[in-house]
């Protein structure tokens, strides 16, 4: 098992969870200014985690 691949998987899962939570906040809580800021922060962090996790998985080579 490669530690980088495991860390990439964890980052990807956290990114997906952040993006899903952003969608939930956007749909359910309406037009509150604080809610929109919170959703924006979670969305940006989720996107960064997701992209970095996918990049880490793709660039890590399998060595056996």
């Amino acid at each position: 098992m490669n530690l980088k691949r495991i860390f990439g998987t964890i980052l990807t899962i956290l990114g997906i969870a952040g993006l899903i939570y952003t969608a939930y906040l956007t749909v359910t809580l309406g037009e509150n200014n604080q809610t929109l800021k919170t959703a924006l922060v979670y969305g940006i962090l989720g996107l960064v985690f997701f992209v970095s996790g996918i990049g880490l998985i793709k660039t890590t080579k399998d060595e056996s």
Side-chain angles (χ1 to χ4, degrees):
M1 283 212 243
N2 198 344
L3 189 60
K4 286 184 184 179
R5 215 170 253 261
I6 293 171
F7 188 63
T9 304
I10 291 171
L11 283 176
T12 304
I13 291 171
L14 285 174
I16 291 171
L19 292 173
I20 290 172
Y21 189 62
T22 301
Y24 171 76
L25 285 178
T26 304
V27 169
T28 58
L29 297 177
E31 295 187 18
N32 187 359
N33 194 17
Q34 187 68 26
T35 305
L36 293 176
K37 289 179 184 177
T38 304
L40 185 65
V41 168
Y42 280 123
I44 290 172
L45 284 175
L47 189 64
V48 167
F49 282 4
F50 182 74
V51 169
S52 64
I54 293 294
L56 195 57
I57 290 172
K58 285 175 64 174
T59 59
T60 304
K61 296 181 181 179
D62 286 331
E63 295 176 3
S64 41

